[in-house]
Amino acid sequence: FFCSQASSDGFLACLTASVPEQLLFTRSSPSFASVLASSVRNRRFLTQATVRPICIVTAMNASHVQAAVVCGRRHGVRLRVRSGGHDYEGLSFRSTRLETFAVIDLAGLRSVRVSLGSPREEAPSTAWVDSGATLGELYHAIGKASDRLAFPAGLCPTVGVGGHLSGGGFGMLLRKHGLAADHVVDATLVDAEGRVLDRDAMGQDVFWAIRGGGGGGSFGIVLSWQVKLVAVPPAVTAFTIPKSVEQGAVDILTKWQEVAPALPDDLFVRVLVQRQVAKFQALYLGTCDALLPVMRHRFPELGVNHKHCKEMTWLGPTPWTPPPARPRPTTSDMRSPHRAGVLYNVQYMNFWGGGGGDGAAQKRWIRDMYAFMEPHVSKNPREAYVNYRDLDLGTNVVVGNVTSYEAGKVWGEKYYKDNFRRLAMAKRQIDPDDYFRNEQSIPPLDADE
Ligand code: FDA
């Protein structure tokens, strides 16, 4: 897939026939840099060394997305799809290799339509949400429609729906309701031919694959998702309790490891460990009065009392905000393809900024930490969560213009275990030419291979 100057010119000329010029930003546009940076969370990817797109298409409707795909295929320009821009490796807007590509940015496609169900007719409450909406916008729209409904997805309100659902997605409702992708009941997808397909039209294998398989960017461009909402009580309770080493953090953390997986499903307790302080953060689906006996019985060492409780509706106010520094999580340990028996998902993070230099020391620290943890986590393969994307796990090799399945297994089985093969067969069905491709996209595999 070679792209010359002539083909990028052809791509742009083709686009202007279907997409209004004010929605197209080429490198020479005065606003190119600010549009590119608009949703980038990790400024590490905005240096001079970043391989940038030739053009950003800020789609406002499905036809703009279709045009980008049709023109891209015709003129040999690949696309990177960006919804919320939170990809930990920046794969939605940059390439780690020298290649010519355009970004299709879906931030203009962000409507949310909630439909309240009818218990008498056994019709569930659902929402259609566009990929460019943020989780915060989805939660807000649900909260406005009903204070008894919620959606089980991530904690950070700025994360984009498009990437999040493509890679699974979880938050404080995980123990009771599973992953965000588990609740998708329909979707619309622009495929590599530029067609808009719904669940029936894309077929069950591809519909299975787009819900968490591939972390986005492998099967096509998802325009919107229909999700089933879950019931929550009118009051939920949150608490955050920091424990320093002097306050017994090590022993309490050790106890948490035994207790947390066996708590009632209504209760989720996570821990953030930073600078020798362990911060225990919890969400309970019920009142403080109902929570305290559970905590006193199961986890008295934490010493939760009324003063720690914050009762609120599920919507918030959320006590957990993302840190204002540059995140660099190199990796995670998780068994996402296995639900039963999964105890923990560990995310390793480091931050630098301002006078923090080039991050070499921080990266070394995190790689050492990852190596140190090896005896304590899953093995053969050591598993990882695709929404915590990590190119250190391995990157694709292209052989004869198609991504190699064998080479992809190195990183793919860490994210998906045996499901990697099934994902590769779904990729073959929907995109046999491997148009949607990036450093960790699912390679196509023939069922007979
Ligand atoms: P972005 O737009 O960067 O896309 C991510 C990937 O999906 C890219 O490969 C992109 O090409 C592809 N993609 C995007 N839109 C697509 C579409 N419409 N169709 C097809 N492919 C598409 N995770 C979690 O489970 N729980 C959490 O609480 C959090 N919290 C969190 C906080 C912060 C600050 C960050 C930076 C990240 C998280 N995450 C997380 C991880 C997050 O779920 C993950 O990075 C998502 O992929 C982000 O989705 P975006 O749409 O924002 O990313």
Side-chain angles (χ1 to χ4, degrees):
F1 219 82
F2 173 75
C3 185
S4 64
Q5 182 62 42
S7 58
S8 28
D9 290 350
F11 172 68
L12 292 171
C14 175
L15 274 180
T16 47
S18 316
V19 181
E21 263 180 68
Q22 67 270 22
L23 301 181
L24 302 176
F25 298 86
T26 61
R27 286 181 189 166
S28 57
S29 314
S31 324
F32 177 82
S34 60
V35 174
L36 184 64
S38 57
S39 62
V40 172
R41 302 293 298 184
N42 194 331
R43 287 166 46 219
R44 206 159 66 86
F45 302 133
L46 285 177
T47 67
Q48 285 304 321
T50 302
V51 179
R52 297 175 309 163
I54 53 161
C55 154
I56 306 166
V57 183
T58 56
M60 297 306 289
N61 62 43
S63 77
H64 301 153
V65 179
Q66 293 174 278
V69 172
V70 169
C71 296
R73 296 228 39 195
R74 190 176 300 156
H75 296 280
V77 174
R78 286 186 196 283
L79 296 177
R80 301 266 165 156
V81 193
R82 181 164 77 174
S83 290
H86 282 55
D87 191 278
Y88 279 120
E89 294 283 6
L91 298 190
S92 51
F93 55 88
R94 68 152 193 155
S95 172
T96 63
R97 297 162 182 167
L98 275 179
E99 66 167 323
T100 305
F101 67 97
V103 165
I104 179 99
D105 189 306
L106 302 181
L109 286 168
R110 58 195 314 144
S111 78
V112 185
R113 298 167 302 279
V114 176
S115 305
L116 295 180
S118 149
R120 234 179 303 137
E121 290 161 31
E122 291 185 12
S125 294
T126 60
W128 269 105
V129 54
D130 290 343
S131 281
T134 62
L135 294 182
E137 287 165 339
L138 173 60
Y139 297 159
H140 183 72
I142 296 168
K144 251 176 43 186
S146 164
D147 62 0
R148 305 297 297 271
L149 290 171
F151 185 65
L155 287 153
C156 171
T158 56
V159 166
V161 164
H164 193 63
L165 269 59
S166 296
F170 65 81
M172 303 295 259
L173 299 180
L174 169 76
R175 303 196 70 241
K176 178 133 184 154
H177 294 293
L179 302 179
D182 296 337
H183 297 264
V184 174
V185 290
D186 202 346
T188 56
L189 174 86
V190 175
D191 73 357
E193 304 297 324
R195 299 171 299 191
V196 179
L197 309 176
D198 67 4
R199 174 182 181 157
D200 289 341
M202 74 182 84
Q204 60 177 2
D205 293 340
V206 175
F207 183 63
W208 170 79
I210 61 167
R211 292 172 294 155
S218 290
F219 305 101
I221 301 173
V222 181
L223 297 173
S224 58
W225 312 77
Q226 188 185 27
V227 294
K228 212 160 51 171
L229 308 182
V230 300
V232 282
V236 303
T237 305
F239 67 75
T240 298
I241 301 182
K243 294 282 181 191
S244 64
V245 172
E246 296 72 33
Q247 291 169 318
V250 175
D251 287 345
I252 300 173
L253 191 63
T254 306
K255 179 75 190 286
W256 170 83
Q257 287 190 57
E258 286 164 30
V259 168
L263 290 172
D265 284 354
D266 285 343
L267 177 57
F268 178 97
V269 184
R270 72 169 185 165
V271 189
L272 305 183
V273 182
Q274 198 176 15
R275 296 199 183 93
Q276 314 242 328
V277 174
K279 230 192 245 177
F280 294 83
Q281 297 186 326
L283 184 75
Y284 177 64
L285 297 175
T287 60
C288 182
D289 285 344
L291 167 67
L292 291 183
V294 179
M295 289 304 293
R296 283 188 194 127
H297 175 62
R298 303 283 189 107
F299 198 3
E301 296 81 357
L302 197 55
V304 185
N305 62 45
H306 263 107
K307 275 188 279 174
H308 298 117
C309 286
K310 282 193 185 126
E311 271 188 25
M312 57 184 89
T313 63
W314 166 76
L315 193 54
T318 337
W320 309 286
T321 47
R326 300 180 194 178
R328 165 63 191 175
T330 49
T331 195
S332 66
D333 283 303
M334 192 194 188
R335 301 164 187 252
S336 53
H338 293 293
R339 305 303 176 97
V342 177
L343 299 182
Y344 302 101
N345 176 16
V346 190
Q347 184 177 27
Y348 311 101
M349 299 183 94
N350 209 340
F351 301 87
W352 66 94
D358 62 358
Q362 289 87 346
K363 285 186 226 169
R364 200 170 40 249
W365 179 88
I366 212 153
R367 289 191 174 118
D368 288 350
M369 179 74 184
Y370 185 69
F372 172 80
M373 289 296 286
E374 183 156 355
H376 310 290
V377 298
S378 57
K379 293 172 187 58
N380 303 318
R382 181 171 178 173
E383 294 158 45
Y385 171 41
V386 68
N387 263 349
Y388 296 167
R389 170 120 46 211
D390 182 3
L391 294 183
D392 284 359
L393 299 179
T395 54
N396 278 333
V397 175
V398 176
V399 180
N401 203 27
V402 175
T403 304
S404 156
Y405 171 74
E406 283 305 316
K409 276 159 84 173
V410 172
W411 59 267
E413 291 185 350
K414 293 186 171 119
Y415 290 139
Y416 308 112
K417 296 199 76 180
D418 296 344
N419 284 341
F420 186 60
R421 187 179 165 82
R422 186 172 164 199
L423 287 169
M425 291 192 296
K427 166 78 173 177
R428 177 80 167 49
Q429 279 180 36
I430 191 81
D431 182 20
D433 298 335
D434 199 22
Y435 174 64
F436 292 107
R437 176 196 295 176
N438 64 40
E439 291 78 349
Q440 279 188 348
S441 55
I442 302 290
L445 178 72
D446 196 318
D448 300 330
E449 283 175 46

